[in-house]
Amino acid sequence: MSRKKGEQGTSRPAWYEAGRAHVWLPYAQMKTVRAPLPVARTHGCRIVLSDGRELIDGIASWWTACHGYNHPHIRDAVERQLALMPHVMFGGLAHEQALTLARRLAALVPGDLTRVFFSESGSVAVEIAMKMAVQYWLNQGARKRKKFLAFRGGYHGDTTGAMAVCDPDGGMHARFHGLLPEHYLVELPQEEESAANFTRCLERHAEELAGIIVEPLVQGAGGMRFHAASVLQRLREAANRYQIILIFDEIFTGFGRTGNLFACEAAGVVPDIITLSKALTGGTLPLAVTIARDKIFDAFWSDEPGHALLHGPTFMGNALACAAANASLDLFEQEPRLRQVADIAAALEHGLAPCRGLPGVKDVRVKGAVGVVELDRIDDVEGLRARFVNEGVFIRPFGSIIYLTPAFTVGAEELAKLTGAIVSVMSEHS
Ligand SMILES: Cc1ncc(COP(=O)(O)O)c(C=O)c1O
């Protein structure tokens, strides 16, 4: 294979040099962004670079690869499905993998969240949840309920509808004021003042509100901010009182990340709609679901064709992705994932504790398999990312946080290396 010397003195494969001028990278100022690392393959919790270096992965590919990479059980299921039928359209046709997955998911999520609508990304699942909530009201003749109540620090995706319910200031979407529909945004009702503000907003605007949308327990991309389960109970009570649809976006928190299979379980709260993606296929193929309670589905059940949910992504219910998701659910059944999450939580607490009290460190917090070191600020985020690579780990700080969301199968030594790298970089930083 022909190679060229890269910026950091490492050699890069020919495909990299030839293709790099043609890709547009995510969340990146293309002029100044550091070159992405060429990856040759993955295994377990490791990313193998094309120059042979091996990094321990601290974030499981944007929180998806919960069983580690290349799990043989998922690979076998996808290979079998590929030979049988990679994909058929979901309009007018049905197949075993999608229907089996829908049945299994409906049994796993709490309460009467029973109707599963497939899509192919988290943002689209959120769009569908919002559309379901608005049309739930339209189908019952309530024409004014088209707004949502969302929370500061929240993140729900990058498509237009989803952007509109993200934190407009703290998030990445401030430039799109004017394009986005305007919704109501308040602080999560965590203490007296924010609770009063939340109630005031509901009192003023309940009749315009289709839904309340929240990431339960952890606001991920907004800065890995945690809140208590009681906040979710408060949201449920308010949604009941003001008769508003409650949407839990569990795209990040779903499938064990916070310690329960779903974060809503920690609060004993059943939302009216839940969105799931990311770890749904164990990080192998794109798939998302929007799952509705019976009462939501019932509002679409009609002799009137216009009452149907008019949505249908081309690749919805993709058979390969559903096979991967079914195999991933097998692993949750067969392997002690939640116990592993509890062990990871303890190891993160222990491993990140030395960061407490270091100059520049504002907070150290852990919830399930999410470990966060929040700093006063990070001046050179790209430089910090490169420091971690030099330590042999892949960790991607953003905003003012350094965080770990490893695969649940991460080894004790690998995890110690991840936390150790953070402690070591922070110690020299200070
Ligand atoms: C809570 C939450 N909702 C929605 C999304 C968007 O998902 P996707 O990137 O698959 O569109 C994300 C992605 O990080 C997320 O964390």
Side-chain angles (χ1 to χ4, degrees):
M1 194 198 299
S2 88
R3 290 174 184 274
K4 237 177 161 179
K5 274 285 185 203
E7 279 161 27
Q8 291 167 325
T10 56
S11 60
R12 292 184 183 145
W15 58 259
Y16 184 95
E17 298 300 344
R20 211 178 128 204
H22 302 284
V23 290
W24 201 330
L25 301 172
Y27 307 117
Q29 170 45 260
M30 293 299 290
K31 186 172 178 187
T32 54
V33 70
R34 284 196 191 211
L37 302 165
V39 179
R41 62 194 174 85
T42 52
H43 68 95
C45 298
R46 309 288 177 116
I47 296 170
V48 184
L49 303 183
S50 60
D51 61 9
R53 280 179 298 163
E54 206 165 293
L55 305 180
I56 299 172
D57 184 0
I59 62 169
S61 280
W62 273 332
W63 329 326
T64 62
C66 56
H67 314 290
Y69 295 109
N70 310 26
H71 198 292
H73 184 64
I74 300 182
R75 192 185 58 215
D76 289 350
V78 173
E79 280 175 0
R80 267 198 313 278
Q81 190 57 42
L82 183 62
L84 209 58
M85 178 183 76
H87 178 74
V88 286
M89 62 187 279
F90 214 55
L93 300 171
H95 59 84
E96 184 179 357
Q97 292 297 341
L99 268 57
T100 301
L101 179 59
R103 174 184 57 74
R104 292 177 81 182
L105 288 172
L108 277 180
V109 291
D112 62 342
L113 283 158
T114 54
R115 270 308 157 156
V116 177
F117 196 98
F118 289 104
S119 57
E120 69 295 69
S121 81
S123 303
V124 174
V126 168
E127 300 276 345
I128 293 165
M130 294 172 69
K131 208 159 151 182
M132 272 179 189
V134 169
Q135 201 178 338
Y136 168 86
W137 293 110
L138 286 175
N139 284 359
Q140 299 175 83
R143 316 217 130 263
K144 281 203 215 136
R145 289 194 182 244
K146 294 192 175 140
K147 300 266 180 216
F148 287 85
L149 180 57
F151 298 99
R152 285 234 169 262
Y155 174 81
H156 300 284
D158 293 344
T159 53
T160 316
M163 277 201 285
V165 286
C166 295
D167 186 322
D169 305 318
M172 297 172 278
H173 307 314
R175 291 177 164 259
F176 294 99
H177 281 311
L179 165 71
L180 304 180
E182 288 190 10
H183 299 295
Y184 295 105
L185 187 91
V186 294
E187 295 286 343
L188 277 167
Q190 305 201 64
E191 30 59 47
E192 223 173 285
E193 196 187 329
S194 52
N197 204 26
F198 170 67
T199 307
R200 234 181 345 266
C201 185
L202 287 171
E203 275 166 4
R204 278 196 203 137
H205 303 295
E207 289 183 1
E208 299 164 62
L209 287 174
I212 299 174
I213 182 163
V214 69
E215 296 160 86
L217 294 190
V218 182
Q219 294 180 306
M224 299 289 166
R225 307 205 239 175
F226 304 161
H227 54 264
S230 59
V231 171
L232 305 174
Q233 288 152 2
R234 192 172 260 167
L235 298 188
R236 181 69 272 176
E237 280 158 24
N240 290 348
R241 183 161 353 111
Y242 293 93
Q243 299 212 324
I244 300 167
I245 304 298
L246 183 61
I247 303 170
F248 278 7
D249 177 352
E250 294 230 26
I251 286 165
F252 171 44
T253 54
F255 300 104
R257 184 54 67 185
T258 64
N260 289 93
L261 195 55
F262 301 103
C264 60
E265 292 171 18
V269 163
V270 183
D272 300 309
I273 301 175
I274 191 169
T275 55
L276 304 170
S277 186
K278 292 208 183 271
L280 174 59
T281 62
T284 55
L285 285 157
L287 185 69
V289 290
T290 307
I291 310 181
R293 287 179 83 160
D294 290 343
K295 76 162 190 181
I296 305 291
F297 181 76
D298 290 348
F300 291 75
W301 182 269
S302 160
D303 293 322
E304 171 56 58
H307 284 181
L309 178 63
L310 295 176
H311 206 100
T314 304
F315 281 99
M316 77 180 284
N318 175 261
L320 291 175
C322 289
N326 277 312
S328 177
L329 293 188
D330 294 343
L331 294 174
F332 275 99
E333 282 170 15
Q334 292 160 11
E335 299 185 5
R337 290 289 176 265
L338 295 184
R339 206 190 65 216
Q340 288 168 325
V341 171
D343 291 345
I344 291 170
L348 287 171
E349 284 285 1
H350 176 76
L352 296 176
C355 291
R356 284 203 174 92
L358 286 180
V361 172
K362 198 165 153 191
D363 189 30
V364 177
R365 54 184 180 269
V366 172
K367 192 175 291 277
V370 185
V372 184
V373 178
E374 183 171 350
L375 312 184
D376 293 328
R377 60 172 202 283
I378 298 177
D379 292 327
D380 176 14
V381 79
E382 295 253 27
L384 193 53
R385 288 171 182 172
R387 275 290 294 110
F388 285 122
V389 172
N390 290 339
E391 294 278 326
V393 297
F394 186 70
I395 298 177
R396 259 178 88 81
F398 68 91
S400 58
I401 63 162
I402 302 171
Y403 75 97
L404 293 173
T405 50
F408 303 155
T409 50
V410 67
E413 280 179 23
E414 290 173 318
L415 191 50
K417 178 141 191 211
L418 286 165
T419 54
I422 295 181
V423 174
S424 139
V425 167
M426 279 317 300
S427 307
E428 79 189 32
H429 192 74
S430 49

